Amino acid sequence: MAGSTSIRPSENSHDWLGHGAYFWESDLERARRWAREHADDPFVVGAVIGLGRCLDLTSGDSSCILKPYYELLAQTNASQGTPMPRNSVKGDGGEWIKRDLDCAVIEFLHQARAADGLRDCSRRLLRRW
């Protein structure tokens, strides 16, 4: 990182899980492959990440967390005459490459929660909804 003290977050409209820095848990080879595909001088950074405030999408409860925000985003876009973003372009393995819809829902969730003064996205709080 040549003296840099921070990681520049990605802010593409198609970032799968919204804007931010992405890490592969316990998958060094996948991180290396991604770096080789996306950089002229690829390298991998190791990190220890504390999950104090996070949106946990690793369980079946995830759809219960995201669905109301998807619906609210759809209502908001419809009232503004804005089409909903769509996931598009499939890769060789059939996976979506451009996840504009996924990104929009996650970003909308964070914006809506921030507007309500809610910062903590822990599972404990999300389960109360």
Side-chain angles (χ1 to χ4, degrees):
M1 291 182 51
S4 178
T5 59
S6 63
I7 295 173
R8 183 173 42 102
S10 177
E11 295 185 355
N12 298 308
S13 66
H14 59 268
D15 289 333
W16 182 11
L17 299 173
H19 303 159
Y22 284 73
F23 293 84
W24 282 274
E25 180 181 9
S26 302
D27 200 341
L28 179 59
E29 191 48 44
R30 185 172 180 197
R32 283 183 182 140
R33 186 172 55 246
W34 188 92
R36 284 192 299 268
E37 291 171 2
H38 292 87
D40 294 329
D41 188 18
F43 62 92
V44 174
V45 175
V48 176
I49 301 171
L51 299 177
R53 289 184 307 146
C54 71
L55 177 59
D56 183 359
L57 299 176
T58 62
S59 71
D61 294 342
S62 300
S63 61
C64 295
I65 295 166
L66 295 174
K67 186 176 179 181
Y69 290 100
Y70 168 84
E71 292 170 349
L72 188 56
L73 176 62
Q75 291 171 6
T76 301
N77 282 12
S79 71
Q80 296 172 350
T82 305
M84 282 291 281
R86 297 180 55 186
N87 293 339
S88 61
V89 185
K90 286 197 175 186
D92 295 340
E95 74 283 2
W96 293 108
I97 303 281
K98 295 200 173 245
R99 296 179 174 267
D100 294 274
L101 175 60
D102 296 350
C103 182
V105 171
I106 298 272
E107 288 300 311
F108 187 81
L109 175 149
H110 289 306
Q111 291 167 8
R113 290 183 57 78
D116 289 339
L118 302 171
R119 287 183 39 178
D120 189 338
C121 278
S122 69
R123 178 178 293 216
R124 177 179 48 80
L125 289 178
L126 290 171
R127 281 207 173 139
R128 284 197 231 157
W129 298 355

